[in-house]
Amino acid sequence: MRLDQNPVYRKVIVPWYDSEIACLILIVFMFVVFLFGFIGISVAQDTPEYRSFIWVPALIMVLSGIVIISTTIRLIKRYASLKNKSK
């Protein structure tokens, strides 16, 4: 999270876990987890013994989707604020 919108210095120091590369890696990893949950739902539907556990891969899909959306919104806001500063 950024501390100051108008820093004294030219460039804001961004923590490593909030950098663009880390956010993109997180989105890719969460997409793989989302696909893992999707495959888990298809396996649970095919196997009658596992149908009562379909909530587990569904929860994995929902949580990874939330992380993907929140990280994407963070990157969009960052790019939008950079464009506004350059004008």
Side-chain angles (χ1 to χ4, degrees), residues 1-2 14-20 22-23 74 78:
M1 179 172 282
R2 300 187 185 237
V14 179
W16 67 269
Y17 54 84
D18 196 27
S19 66
E20 294 175 16
C23 288
R74 178 184 296 173
R78 185 176 302 157

